[in-house]
Amino acid sequence: MKIISNLLFASMMLFSASWSQTITVAAAANLKYAVNDIAKEFTKNTNIKVKIITGASGKLTQQIMSGAPFDAFLSADVEYPAKLAGAGYTTTPSQVYAYGSLVLWSDTGIDLSKGVAIVTDPSVKKIAIANPKTAPYGIEAVNTMNYYKVAPKAQPKIVVAESISQVGSYVTTKAVDVGFIAKSIVLSPEMKNVGKWVEVDPNAYNTIDQAMVGLKNGTPENQIAAKKFLRFMSSPKAVAILKANGYGLPKQ
């Protein structure tokens, strides 16, 4: 009996040493770079691994409501988390973790000194925006063009991308002349030396409040781990990463 007991204990210890918990976090595409850095720091602190799935907030919400096994959701707005909470999919109250900023970006040598007004110039043939139906940054790109009264002339030039990430791809491959994109993308190490960009006046669009929630779709164990991750989003390390990526931050 003692030999069996020792073997059982040894196998349990081996399983414990080899098993590592992994949670899946759905994140708005504007977080593509920042959330990976945050996840690395979280894993260092907790030994909980994080798998990141990025996309347009609206599409991710649809996937969650269709049963996708995501454990937490970092949206680009407050409306989609509220929708999920109202439908009973969440385990935590919606909480704003950052405020996004919109920029106009080009890698084709277009002169951006005129700001948003440049989109009406004949030199600009194509303008990329994220899909306003599913991407909050796309909605605010439209609001920006309406604010500057350039929408009628810009409309025929607009190329609708699935997400902010695809806007970035269109800009960096020069498939478009300019693109409205999140400031966090152009400040990322991978993109900071690509092309030129100008910040859009915050008065031209609605405040981009980005909220997060825990989700019920995962296992009970992962729900607990996801709550730890959401708390970590307010930690000094996570806040420093968000700030470095151009986000505004809620007052602690």
Side-chain angles (χ1 to χ4, degrees):
M1 284 293 292
K2 187 174 182 181
I3 293 173
I4 294 173
S5 178
N6 287 341
L7 286 172
L8 180 62
F9 176 76
S11 65
M12 288 176 65
M13 290 298 290
L14 181 63
F15 174 79
S16 177
S18 62
W19 181 81
S20 178
Q21 187 174 13
T22 300
I23 60 171
T24 302
V25 174
N30 70 88
L31 286 162
K32 180 178 179 180
Y33 300 105
V35 74
N36 283 323
D37 291 340
I38 292 171
K40 288 175 185 176
E41 290 297 330
F42 175 72
T43 300
K44 284 181 188 176
N45 279 263
T46 64
N47 201 35
I48 298 170
K49 295 179 181 178
V50 184
K51 180 181 179 181
I52 306 294
I53 304 295
T54 58
S57 296
K59 283 200 169 185
L60 292 172
T61 298
Q62 291 168 8
Q63 290 170 18
I64 291 164
M65 298 182 82
S66 296
F70 302 148
D71 301 300
F73 177 39
L74 307 180
S75 183
D77 69 356
V78 293
E79 283 78 14
Y80 287 121
K83 180 178 181 180
L84 290 171
Y89 286 90
T90 61
T91 60
T92 65
S94 176
Q95 179 184 350
V96 173
Y97 61 88
Y99 301 104
S101 297
L102 191 66
V103 304
L104 186 65
W105 189 29
S106 177
D107 193 28
T108 60
I110 295 291
D111 181 7
L112 298 177
S113 62
K114 293 181 181 178
V116 174
I118 193 64
V119 300
T120 64
D121 194 274
S123 63
V124 175
K125 304 289 194 300
K126 293 182 180 180
I127 307 160
I129 68 169
N131 190 343
K133 294 181 180 178
T134 56
Y137 279 81
I139 294 173
E140 300 313 328
V142 172
N143 287 337
T144 293
M145 286 185 281
N146 286 329
Y147 177 87
Y148 283 102
K149 298 180 172 59
V150 297
K153 288 186 177 181
Q155 183 59 43
K157 305 178 182 183
I158 290 176
V159 176
V160 177
E162 286 189 5
S163 67
I164 280 292
S165 290
Q166 193 170 60
V167 171
S169 295
Y170 287 164
V171 171
T172 56
T173 59
K174 299 178 176 59
V176 300
D177 299 296
V178 296
F180 286 93
I181 199 164
K183 186 178 181 181
S184 57
I185 300 294
V186 298
L187 287 182
S188 67
E190 292 85 350
M191 298 296 174
K192 66 180 181 179
N193 295 319
V194 178
K196 303 291 182 182
W197 58 274
V198 290
E199 194 154 2
V200 175
D201 184 345
N203 292 317
Y205 58 93
N206 297 315
T207 303
I208 304 175
D209 301 344
Q210 302 196 190
M212 59 187 180
V213 286
L215 301 170
K216 291 181 178 178
N217 288 8
T219 65
E221 293 81 10
N222 278 14
Q223 289 177 23
I224 293 171
K227 289 177 182 177
K228 290 181 180 179
F229 179 79
L230 295 181
R231 286 196 295 272
F232 189 79
M233 287 292 294
S234 299
S235 70
K237 286 187 177 179
V239 166
I241 291 169
L242 289 169
K243 187 174 182 180
N245 280 268
Y247 291 99
L249 300 165
K251 292 181 179 179
Q252 299 293 320

